[in-house]
Amino acid sequence: MLDFMRTAEHSARELGSRTARQRLPIQPRPYFTHIQDGLSLGYRRGKRGGSWIARAYDTEHGYRFESLGKANDLIEAVGMSFQQAQDAARLWYAHLAHM
């Protein structure tokens, strides 16, 4: 498992805009922001754009991760916006609750 737990929490402002995400240093670990109890949205910036990842926590299973897809960093119409990634993370989290 990748070492996602040692990342610092970031504000939605830091991950919410394409411009702000482009200022983040490239690193292998994602930047996470809390979006609701038990659920965080992560962003991993790479050399050719970024990607979104969801992180859920519960006491029974610990941390779970789900790759959500590419971020719309390079072209607005290609990839998911911050809001779309939040929606996808919440949908995945709701699915986990029904498993």
Side-chain angles (χ1 to χ4, degrees), residues 10 12 15 18 22-24 29-30 33 41 50 60 62 93 98:
H10 292 269
L15 301 181
R18 290 169 52 192
Q22 289 173 354
R23 288 192 296 260
L24 295 170
R29 287 180 275 194
T33 189
L41 178 63
E60 184 179 340
Y93 191 62
H98 292 92

Side-chain angles (χ1 to χ4, degrees), residues 38-81:
L39 180 64
S40 295
L41 178 63
Y43 171 77
R44 182 181 296 125
R45 181 166 180 243
K47 292 179 183 178
R48 292 183 225 133
S51 59
W52 297 110
I53 184 167
R55 177 181 71 187
Y57 179 81
D58 69 56
T59 55
E60 184 179 340
H61 299 100
Y63 284 101
R64 293 185 186 191
F65 299 91
E66 178 73 11
S67 177
L68 301 174
K70 290 186 175 198
N72 66 345
D73 292 342
L74 303 176
I75 301 171
E76 182 71 31
V78 177
M80 286 191 281
S81 69

